[in-house]
Amino acid sequence: MQALLRAAIPPLLAWFSAHKRDLPWRKDVSPYSVLVSELMLQQTRVEAVKERYVAFLSAYPTASALAAASEEEVMKAWEGLGYYSRARNLHRAAAIVAREGFPTTFEGVRALPGVGDYTAGAICSIALGLKEPAVDGNVVRILTRLFADGRCADDRRKKDFSALLKEVYPPETGQFCEALMELGALICLPNGAPVCEKCPWKGLCRAHAAGEETRYPVLAEKRARRVEEVIVLVLKYGARYALVKRKKGELLAGMYGFPVFEKADPAAYGNILAVKTAKFLFTHVEWRMTGYFISASHPFPEFLWATKEEIQTQYAIPSAFRAFRSFL
Ligand code: SF4
């Protein structure tokens, strides 16, 4: 495996330098900018991150600038990216970096809030020149195909591949790390759709040689998402709408959203004007929502009442509620 991987590095780096995408986080790279882009790219598509990244970095060009912002401002700047715990972690990480400087070792980077093994590897490789692999599902996929490795593509494989990559890591640490990700993003695609004809590993790849690209990776059975049926109330009183700050331990903790209940009698809050159903997928939970647009009988004191304009400018309403914004 090691010899094959070593042979695969030069064609990969050559392909990357000729075909890499022009992405905003590939310009003016700094440890802080990579921390921001990598946290944004966790669980969010490149296209969605592109726009937000530029706006975020221009609002907060340094860790100190970000650390000086309020949590509400940071949440607002993060709006649309979802998974808001990342924004809170980034804010906390910025405070640490502003105080102590950016860490210079894998362990130091890994200890920052919100940074797991993959993100720490990416930051170390791309911004610090350290030979620390970043292995996610994409990298596992391309390597299981390169090696025709039929073992289960689980966390243990990530560890194995990480150890293997560390042994062969070339001096172009950032290029190599990004090239592996780019190959997974552009060529060696998931769901049985690799574009082998354009792949720099076409002549080396064992899965391709056997005509069995789609056999890999061999995945463990996925745990099904837990389905939660919830009632969402969009209460209007005069020109204001009811919001709640979601509690610790709940999904979307710390975010402002419309009131959500497992059980509720919507008619008890006023006149029902419209009803709409929608679904939202979190990592482990699926929300099946029934949303009621209600003309409230009075301004219930347990809620915070905000105008449409305030909702648009001050409160980062999570995308889980997107379907009900049309009620505003
Ligand atoms: S040859 Fe095909 S299967 Fe093999 S690494 Fe390239 S794209 Fe993936």
Side-chain angles (χ1 to χ4, degrees):
M1 272 183 171
Q2 207 196 85
L4 177 54
L5 190 53
R6 268 188 212 287
I9 294 172
L12 178 68
L13 291 177
W15 169 83
F16 181 66
S17 90
H19 299 283
K20 67 180 172 204
R21 287 169 294 176
D22 183 19
L23 299 173
W25 48 91
R26 288 185 173 155
K27 294 184 193 103
D28 303 325
V29 170
S30 72
Y32 167 70
S33 73
V34 180
L35 174 68
V36 173
S37 63
E38 286 300 327
L39 282 181
M40 284 188 173
L41 287 163
Q42 289 172 358
Q43 294 145 316
T44 305
R45 288 175 308 107
V46 164
E47 286 308 313
V49 171
K50 262 184 177 174
E51 210 178 289
R52 307 304 307 162
Y53 171 82
V54 173
F56 194 94
L57 259 251
S58 79
Y60 306 115
T62 61
S64 310
L66 181 58
S70 72
E71 182 174 319
E72 237 102 79
E73 286 166 341
V74 176
M75 291 297 147
K76 188 71 198 155
W78 195 268
E79 195 173 359
L81 288 166
Y83 298 98
Y84 286 84
S85 58
R86 294 178 298 168
R88 266 187 293 277
N89 282 330
L90 179 57
H91 196 201
R92 285 166 52 215
I96 295 169
V97 170
R99 217 171 42 236
E100 301 169 11
F102 207 95
T104 53
T105 61
F106 178 86
E107 290 69 27
V109 175
R110 176 72 176 77
L112 291 173
V115 174
D117 289 341
Y118 172 82
T119 304
I123 293 170
C124 289
S125 296
I126 298 168
L128 303 177
L130 300 175
K131 296 183 176 182
E132 297 291 352
V135 181
D136 67 352
N138 289 306
V139 173
V140 168
R141 178 177 68 255
I142 66 175
L143 294 182
T144 56
R145 287 175 176 165
L146 175 67
F147 301 134
D149 186 335
R151 292 174 298 171
C152 182
D154 56 11
D155 283 348
R156 194 170 330 154
R157 222 61 329 112
K158 277 190 191 160
K159 285 212 168 73
D160 290 351
F161 286 156
S162 187
L164 185 65
L165 283 166
K166 208 169 160 116
E167 286 168 26
V168 303
Y169 232 74
E172 305 90 336
T173 57
Q175 303 274 308
F176 183 51
C177 175
E178 288 202 77
L180 288 166
M181 297 181 197
E182 198 79 335
L183 192 72
L186 299 182
I187 302 287
C188 195
L189 302 171
N191 304 324
V195 192
C196 301
E197 279 319 301
K198 293 188 175 169
C199 181
W201 290 350
K202 197 169 60 169
L204 294 167
C205 176
R206 289 183 182 160
H208 181 60
E212 292 187 333
E213 303 88 350
T214 56
R215 225 185 104 193
Y216 309 96
V218 175
L219 298 174
E221 257 178 55
K222 276 213 175 147
R223 254 195 321 149
R225 281 196 181 88
R226 188 176 75 243
V227 173
E228 287 183 4
E229 308 261 357
V230 294
I231 291 170
V232 179
L233 300 184
V234 181
L235 296 167
K236 183 175 190 204
Y237 187 79
R240 294 180 178 271
Y241 298 85
L243 297 180
V244 284
K245 188 167 187 180
R246 298 188 55 79
K247 297 194 189 80
K248 242 188 169 170
E250 289 183 329
L251 287 164
L252 305 169
M255 303 299 307
Y256 287 93
F258 302 124
V260 175
F261 299 95
E262 275 175 38
K263 285 198 182 102
D265 175 11
Y269 289 87
N271 283 334
I272 298 171
L273 305 175
V275 183
K276 187 176 182 183
T277 57
K279 251 199 312 197
F280 190 80
L281 303 179
F282 297 94
T283 314
H284 302 298
V285 177
E286 174 181 334
W287 261 5
R288 292 200 188 146
M289 298 173 279
T290 307
Y292 292 85
F293 182 34
I294 295 171
S295 168
S297 55
H298 61 279
F300 294 86
E302 62 267 43
F303 305 130
L304 173 110
W305 293 87
T307 62
K308 182 175 174 179
E309 203 205 345
E310 285 168 343
I311 291 176
Q312 280 161 349
T313 56
Q314 290 174 29
Y315 299 100
I317 303 282
S319 34
F321 297 107
R322 191 185 297 137
F324 306 119
R325 285 185 186 195
S326 58
F327 287 153
L328 300 186

